[in-house]
Amino acid sequence: MLKYIIKRLLSVIPVLFVVSIVIFGIIHITPGDPAAVILGQEATPEQIEQLREQLGLNEPIHLQYYHWVLGVLQGDLGTSYFMKEPVTQAIFDHLKPTLSVAALAMAISLIIAIPIGIAAANRRGTITDQSIMGFALLGMSVPSFLLGLFLILFFGVKLGWLPVAGYQPLSNGLWNHLKYLIMPAIALGSIQAALIARMTRTSMLEVLNTNYIKTARAKGVKDRKIVYVHALRNAFLPILTVVGTTLGSLMAGAAVTETIFNIPGIGQLIINSVERRDYSVIQGVVLFVTVIYVFVNLVIDLLYGVIDPRVRLQDK
């Protein structure tokens, strides 16, 4: 198992290296000059040139990349041009709201999707199956921003049950914290819930049609035990893959949802930074989200080995 873990950890290094090059390259070929944005429209070309020199933007791009990577390896993501604070501090300040929304969205997705996916597979071809798959298709078809606007209009404006926007930290009380997160979490997690439900149904159907399940049924094993004990464990690997991908997508996809609900999270930070051409923050946030995404998938890979020992044997 240790060899398996080390091998997976080493495989992450080239991925992060390539990602860092792509992030840095895309940001620096994007039109726009941070120095001009900082100084405003009344700045003279000399002032802009002087600020570019101070920010190190006049250096060759490969030197800028080298200095940035060197700082990243030492745990320094740079300093924000506008906020005048370390990028790591800015990320930390905006991380809690994003994690809160993403965690609640994931919890809602799993609580809803896995039971209904199992129910659909266990009742294949019935009205229950068709209804669940119909709702899943609807969930995948409706964009999160559109669902978010509908939730605001119905539950926030018309019924007045939930606040339409904003964020309250957990220190202000659990209900105060949750009531600001419920609608963003539903909007963010609906597509993921639909994906997980469909994958659960497909994976369960494959397992339920195998010979050992048929043998268990022939021996009179109770249906509940067959589904939840024998079938679900063997069907869980594909579901786990989707869950891992979903968790990364929730972090990356929170930008639009946070903007709609005015949540001061990572998504809002990166959108503000793009508008300001704050290169150091954009690079830092994108790299941070990428690292989370990569390591979530790494954890999923490691869980494969725990759930199914055959994965470890194949990897030797």
Side-chain angles (χ1 to χ4, degrees), residues 249-268:
S249 302
L250 288 176
M251 290 290 295
V256 176
T257 305
E258 287 179 3
T259 303
I260 292 173
F261 289 95
N262 194 28
I263 297 172
I266 293 290
Q268 198 175 80

Side-chain angles (χ1 to χ4, degrees), residues 25 33 37 39 46 60 72-73 142 166 190 206 220 253 270:
D33 187 344
V37 176
L39 294 174
E46 291 76 18
V72 170
L73 293 175
V142 179
S190 60
E206 288 180 5
I270 196 167

Side-chain angles (χ1 to χ4, degrees), residues 206-249:
E206 288 180 5
V207 176
L208 289 174
N209 286 325
T210 55
N211 289 331
Y212 80 92
I213 293 293
K214 292 176 182 175
T215 303
R217 289 189 194 278
K219 287 182 176 180
V221 178
K222 290 183 178 179
D223 193 59
R224 181 180 293 272
K225 187 175 181 181
I226 289 175
V227 172
Y228 290 99
V229 177
H230 297 291
L232 183 58
R233 174 166 182 167
N234 289 316
F236 205 69
L237 283 184
I239 301 170
L240 195 61
T241 305
V242 177
V243 170
T245 309
T246 295
L247 191 57
S249 302

